[in-house]
Structure formats: C-alpha cells, structure tokens
Amino acid sequence: MNVTEVVKAAGIVGAGGAGFPTHVKLNAKADWFIVNAAECEPLIETDKYLCRTYPEKIVAAAAVCAAHVGASHTVIALKGKYKPEIAALKEAIAKAEANIEIFEMPTFYPAGDEQTMVQMVTGKSVPERGLPLDVGAVVDNVGTMCNLYDALQGENVTWKYLSVVGEVREPILLHVPIGTKLVECVERAKPNRGNYAIIVGGPMMGKVLTDQAAIDSAVVTKTTGNIIVLPREHYLMKRATLPIETMKHQARAACIQCKMCTDLCPRYLIGHNIRPNLVMRNVWRENEIESNEEFKACFGDAVNCCDCGVCEMFACPMGLSPRKINSYMKGKLRERGIQVERKMDPEAHEDINLHRTPTGRLVSRLGLSEYYPLHAHECFEYQPREVYIPFQQHIGKPAEPAKRAGDEVRRGELLAAAAEGLSANIHASMDGVVVSIDSKGAVIRGKEE
C-alpha cells in the first residue's frame, strides 16, 4: 500500500488549517510525527468530539503515518484539561498496543499553532517562514487523521464535522456534505436572532462575514471546522471592518511603544525576528521612505507574522491593529521586491512559558465570555437538497472539472481532478445530478424521491 497515493486519491488536505495537501506533507522522512488535537482557538468543539468519538481511528492513522515517515517519536498533543478526550485516546492506544505518547499542553492561545506545538513538544524552533519538517517533524490535525483512516478503507473526503456555537440556542456539532450552505448549518442550531453575522473558524483567525450576500453564499469546505454566530454589532465585527488608513492613523496617534505586542508574540517567543512595535512606530512615515534598505529595516519583520492576532486582540492596551498593519506591510514589501533574510537557527526565549496568552483572559477580551462555558454534546447529521462544491478548497492550484452539467454522480465520485503541481482532488459529496459546473465549482442537486 502506498500511503501517499491513497491520500492523494482521496483528496485529503489539512482539515484544521489552510488546507495543505496531505499527500505532499507525507512525502517526507521525519523523526517526529505529531497529531495536533489542541483545538487552537476558543469556542471550537470539533477536534474534541473526534477525539472522544473516534480515538481508534486517530490512533490507527497516526501509527500508519508515523511508520510511513519513519518517525521514532509519535505524539498526540492536546490540552491537559481535555480529560475525557485524553482518557479515550489512552484507552485506544493501550488497546492497539501502539507506541504513541500523549503530550498534555497548558491552556493557552495559540496552543494549536503547529510551530508553537513543535517547539513545545520537541524543544526545537522551526526556522522563520519554515516548516516543521525543517526540524524533523510532520504535524497533522485529528480531522486529517480521521479522513486518512477512512481513505484506507476506500472512502474519499466528502463530508465534514463542524461545530456551530455562539448566539444559538445551544452549541451543536454537525456532520454534513461538503458544499452545504453555512446558513443551513446555522439554522440547525436555532440562532437566537434573525439578523446575525458569522465567523467561519475561530474568533482570532477565522473569516468574518457581515455582508448578507456573502453569508448566504458561503459553504462548508474541507477546512471548515466551526461557525460562530454573533450579533452584527459585536466588537469583533466592528474590528474586522476597520479601514487600513484608520488603523495607520490610530497607530500614529496612540501607539505608546509599550512593546507588549512584541513580548507576547508567539513567533517572537520561539526566537523569530519579529517586532510589531517597530512596525507600528514607523508606519506613519511609510510613504516618506524611499530607500529599500531603510524600508526593510523598518518593516521587514512583518514577513514573520503568522496572523495569530495576539498582538491586537490581547496584548495592545490601546486597541491598535499590529496584525493587520503587518499584513498590509507584507504586501508593500512584495510591491517593492524586497527580500527579507530568514533566521535559520532560532532559539526560544527563556521566559517563553511566562508570556503565553491565557485562553480564559483572551475570551474575556474578545467579549465572548457568555459563550465560553457552553459546549456541544450532540452531533446531528444533515443532508441538504443541494450543494455547491468549490474547486479551490486547499493551498495550491484549484482542481480541474472532471464532469459536465447534466451528469449523474454518486457520493465519492471524482468531480474535479487535482491540477498539475500542488493541488487536491475534489469529490461529489452526495448522489445527484450536476446542475452547473465551471472552473470555480459545481452545483449538485439530489434526485427527487
């Protein structure tokens, strides 16, 4: 059995992040194979559910992957407070007689960031803009492990587990076909208000949708793990819609150079060259700097930002936006053609454990305390009448259509084939007829009973 070929054929991508094609990640040799079960952001319930419900799948898939990459260390890393999940995983490990270690992490944000996790588990810091493989590690999410186990049984990636939380009657878990509309998922959780906004993902790094048309058209993809339903007037919605010029003016007027954005930055803590305070100090004179060398000195550190949001949503006492300024400056550096050298041998700061961001305090800052103690206990299966399946659900090139309008398809049948290079297969998520299809995606409608 060629594991990478099975994974590629099934269309597996990173289930908990940006959707990196898993067959590429596993085409490697590494000393460490780490399963990320830390549920990086607050209010997300999916990975915990998978650990409680399918620990045997996770353990079996982890063992296969570890053997495939030649790892001498196999670790499942999750927060130590996840007692039922840890108990379920330990029981599965013992039953399988697997050589797998459970690594219990403190409760902080972003515990699920793979570079933060790699440093904590292995003691090694990943180079700037590098990959865990640079220090001999491969990291995969628990959802990816479940998909990999299913692929080994002949099943392609067609359905997705996700949680719906926030301004709903009670948090729930759903198991739905890829391509299901998000509004249909929200309706299953019975929202407390009709006029709501949503965050797809977590409150820190998720995609904020406030426009009704965007909300109505959004669908579940291979990387969707959570939907947060919030009032449109919520603090997070207001922050998400601030114009960049307003952020720049705020930085000039209010940045007090306390350096908290730098001191609490997860990338800074593992030894990367990143100083958001320096970027904030100089952003007001961006247009006055003609020299590329001076521009790089002032703003070059921005390229090492991982967009976790600790700087602006927790660290800054003035409510400024270092993360978004960093993102803006990344674009300006590209426009100028400025290349920033990489630090290849970073070392974590000695006080790294003293500067972690406590999740409970972060939730309070975000204005989400009323939702934080609530947890999803039930998982419901939902089959919509129609799905829209995008062909760009992963990092790399979109998949290329393999069907035509009018074709009948079965669940799991190839709908769009991986393009040459970095890409991933896309499969039909339900039985039905292809109503429409183009380079961006396809609509499948179920047959009338």
Side-chain angles (χ1 to χ4, degrees):
M1 175 187 63
N2 187 316
V3 174
T4 54
E5 289 303 316
V6 171
V7 168
K8 182 178 181 180
I12 300 176
V13 303
F20 193 86
T22 304
H23 68 275
V24 177
K25 184 179 286 190
L26 292 179
N27 188 25
K29 292 297 177 184
D31 194 37
W32 293 82
F33 184 77
I34 303 172
V35 178
N36 185 345
E39 206 85 89
C40 190
E41 298 205 42
L43 301 189
I44 304 178
E45 296 287 312
T46 314
D47 287 355
K48 287 179 286 184
Y49 173 79
L50 294 176
C51 288
R52 293 193 306 269
T53 312
Y54 301 112
E56 294 86 2
K57 285 187 177 185
I58 295 165
V59 167
V64 169
C65 289
H68 179 73
V69 301
S72 55
H73 305 282
T74 309
V75 176
I76 301 175
L78 70 171
K79 293 169 185 168
K81 72 173 186 176
Y82 293 168
K83 301 304 181 185
E85 292 77 14
I86 290 171
L89 289 166
K90 284 185 174 179
E91 183 179 347
I93 290 169
K95 184 177 180 181
E97 299 182 348
N99 185 21
I100 297 176
E101 173 190 354
I102 297 292
F103 187 94
E104 298 186 26
M105 305 178 73
T107 302
F108 69 93
Y109 175 80
D113 167 59
E114 68 176 17
Q115 294 199 17
T116 296
M117 180 175 285
V118 165
Q119 192 283 324
M120 183 168 278
V121 172
T122 71
K124 301 174 183 177
S125 291
V126 176
E128 291 177 352
R129 286 157 277 152
L131 299 171
L133 191 59
D134 294 330
V135 292
V138 171
V139 183
D140 268 315
N141 172 266
V142 287
T144 308
M145 290 296 94
C146 288
N147 287 336
L148 191 145
Y149 179 90
D150 291 341
L152 294 173
Q153 317 308 311
E155 295 182 29
N156 298 322
V157 179
T158 58
W159 280 51
K160 181 70 179 176
Y161 287 97
L162 67 148
S163 46
V164 185
V165 302
E167 198 63 30
V168 296
R169 189 175 71 177
E170 63 176 334
I172 65 168
L173 286 143
L174 288 174
H175 190 216
V176 300
I178 289 169
T180 302
K181 287 187 175 183
L182 298 190
V183 289
E184 295 184 49
C185 295
V186 172
E187 286 306 309
R188 306 281 80 71
K190 297 181 172 55
N192 294 332
R193 57 181 64 215
N195 189 25
Y196 57 79
I198 64 174
I199 301 176
V200 186
M204 296 292 282
M205 299 181 72
K207 183 178 181 179
V208 175
L209 298 179
T210 57
D211 177 72
Q212 192 59 51
I215 294 171
D216 290 341
S217 63
V219 299
V220 174
T221 70
K222 294 179 182 182
T223 61
T224 307
N226 188 59
I227 304 170
I228 306 176
V229 182
L230 291 174
R232 289 182 179 273
E233 64 273 14
H234 192 275
Y235 165 73
L236 291 177
M237 302 305 160
K238 294 178 180 178
R239 283 297 299 263
T241 54
L242 272 180
I244 187 66
E245 289 303 318
T246 299
M247 297 178 200
K248 290 166 66 177
H249 287 309
Q250 288 176 337
R252 180 175 187 176
C255 180
I256 59 175
Q257 285 297 295
C258 67
K259 202 169 163 284
M260 290 293 288
C261 56
T262 294
D263 291 341
L264 299 185
C265 170
R267 287 292 189 267
Y268 173 79
L269 291 174
I270 66 172
H272 290 188
N273 288 324
I274 178 165
R275 295 162 293 174
N277 68 294
L278 182 62
V279 174
M280 297 296 280
R281 185 171 73 195
N282 288 290
V283 68
W284 68 272
R285 64 191 193 95
E286 169 207 347
N287 295 327
E288 299 176 6
I289 302 176
E290 296 182 359
S291 162
N292 278 358
E293 282 304 311
E294 184 181 0
F295 198 91
K296 181 166 70 170
C298 291
F299 306 119
D301 286 358
V303 299
N304 293 322
C305 175
C306 66
D307 295 305
C308 72
V310 165
C311 53
E312 66 185 32
M313 306 305 284
F314 183 79
C316 182
M318 308 305 289
L320 304 180
S321 307
R323 167 178 55 177
K324 292 189 177 67
I325 296 295
N326 275 341
S327 182
Y328 169 79
M329 283 304 172
K330 288 179 188 179
K332 293 300 178 181
L333 289 161
R334 287 193 297 270
E335 287 179 15
R336 286 182 173 235
I338 297 174
Q339 300 293 320
V340 180
E341 298 77 14
R342 293 171 61 195
K343 185 177 182 180
M344 299 304 295
D345 55 350
E347 293 186 5
H349 289 260
E350 291 183 1
D351 57 357
I352 183 171
N353 292 322
L354 300 177
H355 288 182
R356 306 284 193 193
T357 299
T359 304
R361 290 177 61 190
L362 173 64
V363 167
S364 180
R365 286 282 179 91
L366 297 176
L368 299 172
S369 295
E370 63 182 295
Y371 312 117
Y372 188 49
L374 307 176
H375 299 286
H377 301 290
E378 290 189 84
C379 184
F380 302 93
E381 193 165 288
Y382 172 64
Q383 174 70 67
R385 178 77 179 83
E386 183 178 280
V387 294
Y388 173 73
I389 304 178
F391 294 160
Q392 181 74 75
Q393 299 183 40
H394 48 266
I395 287 177
K397 299 176 183 177
E400 298 173 347
K403 295 292 182 181
R404 295 180 297 181
D407 285 351
E408 292 189 10
V409 291
R410 303 286 294 177
R411 175 180 171 180
E413 191 173 342
L414 186 68
L415 186 63
E420 186 176 350
L422 191 63
S423 188
N425 287 337
I426 303 288
H427 301 86
S429 61
M430 61 186 291
D431 297 347
V433 177
V434 179
V435 176
S436 63
I437 188 167
D438 57 24
S439 61
K440 295 182 178 180
V443 174
I444 299 176
R445 184 175 299 151
K447 290 184 176 182
E448 297 287 351
E449 294 293 339

